[in-house]
Amino acid sequence: MQTDSSFTFVLFGGTGDLSMRKILPALYEAHRAGMLADSGKIVGVARHEADRAGYIEWVNGHVKPYVSKDGLDEAVWERFLARIEYVKLDLSKAEDFVLLRDAVNKLSGTRVFYLATGPSLFVPICHALASVGLNENARIVLEKPLGYDLQSSNAINDAVGEIFAEEQIYRIDHYLGKEPVQNLLALRFGNALFEPLWRREWVESIQITIAEELGVEARGDFYDNTGALRDMVQNHLLQLLSIVAMEPPHSMDSDSVRDEKLRVLRALKPIDPRDIQRVAVRGQYHAGVIRGTAVPAYATEPGVKKDSTTETFVALKVEIENWRWAGVPFFLRTGKRLADRVAEIVVNFRPVPHSALGPTALRPGANRLVIRLQPNETIRLYCLAKQPGEGMNLASVHLDLAFDQFFRENQMEAYQRLLLDVINGRLALFVRRDEQEAAWRWVEPILNDWAAANKAPKPYAAGTWGPAAASAMLAQHGTCWLEEEN
C-alpha cells in the first residue's frame, strides 16, 4: 500500500553510519515495494563536501551492501536514487539553513526532518529550522539516546517542545517496529486464547533479553560515558516490558496504546537503594573467545578509560505493582560480548497444580511462549505431548507461528515500518514524552547508586552469558535463563 501523500524526507547526518546501514536501506525497501508516493523526495544533509552527484556516489558505495537480501534490481535502484537530493550544511552557519529552506520549499508534501545525529545537536538543529520557518507543518524524528539522565532528557524535550508540538515529535525506538512485537499485540488483543492467561494467576515469570556478540566497536568514547543501563534498559527493554504488560487499549490509535504503556511504566515498583545489590547485576566483559575468535577486554578497547567502571552488562529483577502482575518477577537482561546475538521475550506459565502424568508436567517452564525478535523473528509456543510408544511419557514440543510461511509477503524491517509511520503521521509506535520521563525516573536510583558506589562491575569472560550473579538472581526464584535450561 502506498503512502497517503507526497513527502519531503530531510535526513540530517546524511553520510553517517545510521543513515547508510538503516535509514536509506529502509526507504529503498519501501520504494521497491511501491509504498512511497512517486513524488516523494529524500534530501541528504551533511557537512560532506559534495554536490548531488558526489552524494549519489557516496550512497552507491555505502548503502548498496545493506539492501535487498534477495538481490538488487538495478533499475529499481536507479529510480530510488532519482528521489535523492543533497544539501551541504554546516550547523554553525545560519546561511546554510537558508539554502536548506530554499531547497525544501521547491519540493512538495509532508515534511519530515530525521535527526540521525548525536543528541547534542538536536536543540541547535531545531532552533535553526525554526529560524527559517521549517518547523511549521513538519514532523521531527529524534534518535536515542535522548539525554543522559532525567534532567538532561527534560532539557532536550523542553527545548524541542518550544519549537515543535508533541504531536510533531517522533521519538524512535526501532524495537517497537519489529514484526514479532506487532504480532504480540495481535496475539494478546485479537484472540480469546491468550488474554485470560496473561496475568499473575497463570504466569510464573517473564524474561526479556537483548544480547549482543559485538563489543563497543568504534564507539568507545560514547559508550564509556553511557553504559548498558542508559543505552539499552531505559529505552528498549522498558519499552518491550510495557508492551508485554500493558492492559488492552481502547483502540489502536496512538494515545490509547501509549496511555496503557505509560500506566505500566508508572506502576513499576521503585527500587529501594538497600535492595539494589539484590535485584540489579552489573558486569563488564574481560578478554575471551567468541566463535573461535579471541576478543579483547572492554577496558582495552579504543576510547575506553583503562580504569573504567562502565557496565557492559545489566540484569534486573523488576516488579509491577498492579492487580494483573503483582508478585510476578520480570527479569531484564542486556549485554555486549555475550555468547550469542539474540533478543527475545520468554513468558513462563505456571505448571499444572496437580499431575497424574508424572513430574514432567510439574516442571517449571513446561508451558511457555518465546517471542524471538532477532536474529530470526519467530513466535513459538511450548507445551507437553505424549511421546510415541508404550506408556504415558511426556516430552516438550512446540508450535511455531511461522508468519513468513503463512503470509507470502515479505516482512517489513523495523525501520521501514517506522519511517512509513512517520510519513503517514502514525504515532502509536513512537515514545511519548511522559513515557520517557517515567522510564528515566525509575532508572535513576540505580544510576545514582552505582555512581556513588564507584565499584568495579562484576567481570565476565567475553563469549559467556554474563556474570554468575545474574544466574544466581534467578535461582533465588527457582528459575533460570532460557539458555541455561537447554
Side-chain angles (χ1 to χ4, degrees):
M1 185 176 67
Q2 197 176 76
T3 50
D4 298 337
S5 62
S6 182
F7 63 92
T8 298
F9 188 98
V10 181
L11 179 57
F12 285 87
T15 58
D17 184 62
L18 180 63
S19 296
M20 298 298 107
R21 289 190 303 108
K22 295 293 184 182
I23 300 171
L24 288 175
L27 289 170
Y28 167 76
E29 295 298 341
H31 165 87
R32 187 171 72 104
M35 305 178 91
L36 298 181
D38 293 339
S39 56
K41 291 289 186 179
I42 301 163
V43 181
V45 175
R47 296 182 65 178
H48 193 67
E49 288 284 354
D51 55 11
R52 181 182 181 278
Y55 185 61
I56 295 298
E57 183 178 352
W58 178 277
V59 170
N60 259 318
H62 290 79
V63 176
K64 270 189 176 181
Y66 299 103
V67 301
S68 292
K69 298 171 186 175
D70 54 350
L72 181 71
D73 185 321
E74 289 292 346
V76 175
W77 176 250
E78 289 301 321
R79 288 195 293 273
F80 173 69
L81 293 180
R83 293 182 180 272
I84 297 177
E85 304 290 341
Y86 180 70
V87 174
K88 177 187 176 298
L89 186 145
D90 185 333
L91 297 181
S92 65
K93 296 180 178 179
E95 60 269 24
D96 283 6
F97 279 88
V98 174
L99 296 175
L100 176 63
R101 181 197 62 194
D102 293 344
V104 169
N105 283 343
K106 294 176 184 177
L107 305 174
S108 61
T110 300
R111 292 174 179 176
V112 174
F113 296 99
Y114 196 115
L115 306 194
T117 68
S120 63
L121 300 179
F122 291 172
V123 174
I125 291 174
C126 289
H127 278 299
L129 290 173
S131 71
V132 293
L134 287 177
N135 60 317
E136 299 175 7
N137 300 317
R139 296 164 190 158
I140 188 126
V141 185
L142 304 179
E143 270 285 349
K144 78 168 189 78
L146 203 68
Y148 183 79
D149 52 20
L150 179 60
Q151 182 179 359
S152 59
S153 175
N154 282 342
I156 293 174
N157 278 316
D158 286 344
V160 175
E162 291 176 359
I163 298 163
F164 294 92
E166 179 64 27
E167 61 269 18
Q168 292 178 276
I169 302 172
Y170 291 69
R171 300 174 188 86
I172 194 166
D173 186 327
H174 71 275
Y175 276 87
L176 299 184
K178 289 182 176 290
E179 195 72 37
V181 175
Q182 304 304 296
N183 272 313
L184 174 59
L185 293 172
L187 285 172
R188 282 196 60 193
F189 305 135
N191 299 282
L193 176 64
F194 289 105
E195 180 55 27
L197 304 178
W198 214 262
R199 57 191 67 248
R200 60 186 175 83
E201 291 87 352
W202 302 108
V203 174
E204 189 167 63
S205 66
I206 293 178
Q207 301 174 17
I208 306 178
T209 293
I210 302 177
E212 299 176 277
E213 287 183 329
L214 293 175
V216 295
E217 303 309 296
R219 300 194 311 152
D221 288 331
F222 161 78
Y223 196 90
D224 206 39
N225 291 299
T226 304
L229 190 64
R230 290 183 176 91
D231 190 44
M232 298 297 291
V233 176
Q234 182 272 331
N235 40 70
H236 298 326
L237 281 167
L238 289 186
Q239 281 294 314
L240 291 177
L241 181 148
S242 67
I243 290 283
V244 170
M246 64 188 276
E247 294 295 320
H250 169 69
S251 69
M252 292 307 293
D253 71 74
S254 59
D255 280 330
S256 292
V257 172
R258 297 190 295 181
D259 285 346
E260 298 304 335
K261 287 165 56 190
L262 177 63
R263 289 189 179 98
V264 172
L265 294 170
R266 287 179 171 170
L268 294 177
K269 182 180 179 180
I271 293 184
D272 190 309
R274 294 169 296 183
D275 293 333
I276 286 177
Q277 296 302 314
R278 183 174 57 84
V279 301
V281 176
R282 63 194 297 252
Q284 186 185 102
Y285 67 82
H286 287 200
V289 178
I290 297 180
R291 301 191 186 278
T293 301
V295 296
Y298 172 76
T300 66
E301 298 274 18
V304 174
K305 297 186 293 290
K306 302 304 179 187
D307 58 349
S308 174
T309 59
T310 298
E311 77 283 354
T312 62
F313 176 96
V314 174
L316 300 169
K317 178 200 168 192
V318 181
E319 295 182 65
I320 300 174
E321 296 184 311
N322 62 21
W323 275 48
R324 182 183 289 268
W325 296 115
V328 176
F330 288 71
F331 298 106
L332 312 185
R333 175 177 60 164
T334 186
K336 290 188 174 297
R337 292 294 192 204
L338 297 183
D340 200 3
R341 173 179 176 264
V342 62
E344 65 187 6
I345 301 164
V346 180
V347 180
N348 289 311
F349 295 101
R350 296 187 184 278
V352 295
H354 169 74
S355 174
L357 303 175
T360 302
L362 298 173
R363 190 188 71 206
N367 300 144
R368 63 162 53 104
L369 186 68
V370 178
I371 301 123
R372 177 68 64 89
L373 307 179
Q374 66 182 31
N376 53 329
E377 300 181 343
T378 60
I379 298 181
R380 182 172 284 183
L381 178 64
Y382 287 83
C383 54
L384 296 175
K386 178 187 173 299
Q387 291 184 2
E390 187 178 1
M392 183 58 73
N393 298 313
L394 301 181
S396 178
V397 298
H398 57 263
L399 307 175
D400 276 324
L401 303 178
F403 301 104
D404 59 338
Q405 296 179 24
F406 189 84
F407 299 107
R408 295 306 177 187
E409 300 91 342
N410 289 330
Q411 290 191 27
M412 278 192 200
E413 294 290 338
Y415 269 97
Q416 182 181 343
R417 172 181 289 107
L418 294 172
L419 295 182
L420 288 171
D421 278 1
V422 175
I423 292 169
N424 287 321
R426 297 189 287 257
L427 278 159
L429 300 182
F430 296 85
V431 181
R432 204 167 58 191
R433 176 175 179 169
D434 48 9
E435 293 180 72
Q436 197 171 64
E437 289 181 0
W440 273 120
R441 194 168 287 112
W442 185 82
V443 162
E444 272 209 324
I446 308 173
L447 288 170
N448 294 338
D449 181 84
W450 288 352
N454 196 32
K455 292 181 180 178
K458 296 181 184 300
Y460 65 96
T464 67
W465 281 102
S471 297
M473 183 172 66
L474 270 69
Q476 293 173 2
H477 295 272
T479 189
C480 63
W481 299 105
L482 181 60
E483 77 280 348
E484 294 175 332
E485 182 174 307
N486 293 336

